[in-house]
Amino acid sequence: MKFYNQRTFSYISRCMKDAEELLEKNKCKSARFVLKDAKKLLEKDREPSRMLALVYCMEAKIFEKEKKEREARHCWFLAVQEFKKVGDTSSPAYLEAFHRA
């Protein structure tokens, strides 16, 4: 499992929090844009990551809000796969992703 330095971790966490706040305000397009940077940073790493799984979960929630069920289901599936790679199959986030995938 990959451990990120504090600066990178803080940046990704901030992106997730900002995306969640935008999603609550129904600004889905802006929320997806904010997440895109964090997602690129994590995917570039090519190592299993719980943070990437959480980003996929957030992206799925955004797609659900936009009524894009196919894209949402795909993101839930990617989240489940990422959680399995990390070995985190007992967390509430994994269970939510598993049931929605």
Side-chain angles (χ1 to χ4, degrees):
M1 188 161 66
K2 173 81 176 186
F3 293 99
Y4 297 97
N5 65 33
Q6 186 61 39
R7 187 174 178 184
T8 305
F9 183 79
S10 296
Y11 174 73
I12 294 168
S13 298
R14 185 73 208 155
C15 286
M16 297 268 297
K17 188 174 182 180
D18 289 348
E20 194 169 3
E21 289 171 2
L22 288 165
L23 184 61
E24 287 173 4
K25 295 176 183 175
N26 286 327
K27 295 185 177 181
C28 298
K29 204 170 192 176
S30 300
R32 240 183 323 138
F33 182 76
V34 167
L35 269 186
K36 191 165 81 171
D37 214 21
K39 186 177 164 186
K40 274 186 191 176
L41 188 65
L42 291 166
E43 285 178 338
K44 182 178 73 172
D45 215 15
R46 296 204 184 271
E47 281 193 37
S49 162
R50 188 171 193 282
M51 288 293 283
L52 182 57
L54 294 172
V55 167
Y56 285 140
C57 288
M58 179 63 71
E59 194 173 28
K61 289 177 184 177
I62 293 168
F63 281 129
E64 283 180 346
K65 193 93 164 187
E66 292 178 325
K67 307 285 189 228
K68 295 181 178 179
E69 288 302 316
R70 185 175 180 198
E71 290 89 345
R73 215 171 312 119
H74 180 68
C75 286
W76 287 121
F77 174 77
L78 291 174
V80 167
Q81 294 301 317
E82 201 65 30
F83 277 122
K84 284 181 179 177
K85 286 179 192 173
V86 175
D88 184 13
T89 56
S90 60
S91 71
Y94 168 77
L95 295 174
E96 179 184 13
F98 181 79
H99 289 294
R100 291 187 177 195

